[in-house]
Amino acid sequence: MTPLEDAARVSQHAPSVFNTQPWAWRITGDTLELFAEPDRRVDSIDPDGRLLLLSCGAALHHTRVALAAAGRAISVERLPDPAEPDLLARVRLGETTVPPDPEAQRLAAAITRRRTDRRAFDDRPVAEAELTRLRRLVESEGAYLHVVRPEQTAMLAVSTELAAGTELEDPAYRADLHHWTSRPDFTGDGVPPATAVQPGLRRVPIRNFTPDGTAGLNAGVRHDRGASYVVLFGAGDQHADLLRGGEALSALLLLATADGLATAPLSDTIEVAWPRQLLRGLLAGIGEPYLVIRLGHLSAADPLPPVPRRDPRDVITIVD
Ligand SMILES: Cc1cc2nc3c(=O)[nH]c(=O)nc-3n(C[C@H](O)[C@H](O)[C@H](O)COP(=O)(O)O)c2cc1C
């Protein structure tokens, strides 16, 4: 397998909204192109494709990490062709190899270990130094991180609850939820109910993926007391900003995983206008919120049930 094909395959482990994996890759010689698959956009919650772009950005970052860990120098052009809006990025392999980057190797090793864990986290807090490291890494990827302060958590909880309630009343949302939680095996996508968590009292509510069924996971005996909630945000919400935001999301999740933290993105509050406005307020109006992420410790927990991935043959095209 060529390094580019290898990297494209690695990107399939990236997180995506409703596990839609809304991207495709085309490899031509030493060039790897990333395309959005707009048919995979979740209409009811993502009419502008923000969550789709964040997901594609995460896939792009996964390939960058895989190539850096393999000692391959690359150049990345983002949104290279205004005439082709679904072409999100072009990655070119350099001719020479470089010494593999040890930090990239650490992040690359976290790619298959990273999971969205919807169970409640322990009481042990996330260290300040860790949050600082995550913030710096996110900034190096062109986005920003706001650590929700204790006195702001209630506002985050209220806005998430409000968003979740509004969405569950929308028949189009219920239909999308049903669609993406009952996918047949061969599609290799969607959120299996086995990985969703049963509703319960949480510091900030977790999305209820199975309002008409049963979620496989129990929140457990913990209460998220030590969890940190961070808001990933950026200066704008143009396509280029969101793609970079997705790259920063991947960087954040991989570093947190490499450092032994459990992670779970939360996007409900971004998806509905008024809660999103409340979240913008938490940022004191200095940026556009992209996503909330819950970070924490989860010791001695059972392994999570598997989440499917698409067949690489449907995702990666190799042009001779
Ligand atoms: C942009 C984005 C938004 C997401 N929103 C949520 C969410 O609101 N609630 C949730 O439980 N998981 C959310 N996720 C996590 C995905 O559901 C998860 O990545 C996907 O199901 C694949 O599972 P994995 O992360 O364990 O590989 C989100 C992920 C992304 C990239």
Side-chain angles (χ1 to χ4, degrees):
M1 203 181 302
T2 65
L4 289 181
E5 193 181 346
D6 209 19
R9 280 183 179 238
V10 167
S11 81
Q12 293 195 255
H13 294 285
S16 59
V17 58
F18 282 20
N19 197 25
T20 48
Q21 305 162 58
W23 56 78
W25 295 101
R26 184 168 69 195
I27 301 174
T28 316
D30 63 358
T31 302
L32 176 65
E33 288 172 314
L34 170 66
F35 291 86
E37 293 220 311
D39 293 354
R40 295 183 160 269
R41 185 168 52 78
V42 185
D43 283 348
S44 63
I45 58 169
D46 194 24
D48 305 324
R50 288 197 189 99
L51 301 172
L52 176 144
L53 282 164
L54 289 173
S55 305
C56 291
L60 175 59
H61 182 263
H62 272 47
T63 59
R64 286 176 43 212
V65 167
L67 289 165
R72 305 303 305 228
I74 56 166
S75 60
V76 182
E77 251 182 298
R78 294 174 181 81
L79 305 172
D81 187 352
E84 223 183 330
D86 292 338
L87 172 57
L88 300 181
R90 192 173 281 140
V91 177
R92 278 214 181 82
L93 206 53
E95 277 171 18
T96 52
T97 53
V98 290
D101 172 353
E103 190 54 17
Q105 288 182 320
R106 219 167 71 83
L107 296 187
I111 285 178
T112 47
R113 292 207 321 272
R114 182 212 57 80
R115 288 295 309 278
T116 297
D117 198 328
R118 302 183 175 94
R119 295 171 294 189
F121 298 159
D122 295 347
D123 290 356
R124 181 151 61 109
V126 180
E128 280 300 323
E130 176 69 30
L131 293 169
T132 303
R133 275 161 55 73
L134 294 170
R135 189 164 46 72
R136 291 212 177 112
L137 183 62
V138 162
E139 286 171 9
S140 74
E141 291 290 339
Y144 301 96
L145 202 64
H146 172 76
V147 180
V148 176
R149 294 192 295 275
E151 74 275 14
Q152 295 179 323
T153 313
M155 180 58 98
L156 176 63
V158 167
S159 63
T160 308
E161 181 86 50
L162 204 65
T166 306
E167 291 188 331
L168 283 171
E169 283 170 16
D170 174 7
Y173 173 75
R174 298 287 280 241
D176 278 340
L177 204 54
H178 178 74
H179 178 77
W180 289 105
T181 53
S182 57
R183 301 287 281 162
D185 283 350
F186 70 86
T187 61
D189 54 16
V191 178
T195 65
V197 71
Q198 290 155 21
L201 202 56
R202 306 288 289 264
R203 273 179 74 200
V204 175
I206 304 300
R207 190 190 295 272
N208 181 358
F209 278 96
T210 53
D212 304 316
T214 310
L217 296 175
N218 192 296
V221 293
R222 308 149 176 109
H223 297 283
D224 280 325
R225 212 168 287 149
S228 280
Y229 298 87
V230 296
V231 184
L232 179 72
F233 70 102
D237 63 357
Q238 301 298 307
H239 283 199
D241 303 317
L242 289 156
L243 192 65
R244 291 307 304 255
E247 294 179 72
L249 168 66
S250 162
L252 164 80
L253 295 176
L254 294 181
L255 179 57
T257 304
D259 289 350
L261 293 177
T263 64
L266 305 166
S267 53
D268 351 26
T269 182
I270 313 284
E271 295 156 11
V272 183
W274 175 235
R276 186 178 160 80
Q277 190 58 29
L278 292 176
L279 203 61
R280 228 181 250 131
L282 284 195
L283 304 176
I286 56 167
E288 276 300 320
Y290 298 157
L291 201 65
V292 178
I293 300 115
R294 181 173 57 103
L295 302 167
H297 295 276
L298 221 181
S299 46
D302 291 335
L304 289 168
V307 174
R309 287 300 192 262
R310 296 173 67 199
D311 186 329
R313 288 170 299 186
D314 296 337
V315 181
I316 305 167
T317 306
I318 302 175
V319 181
D320 295 325

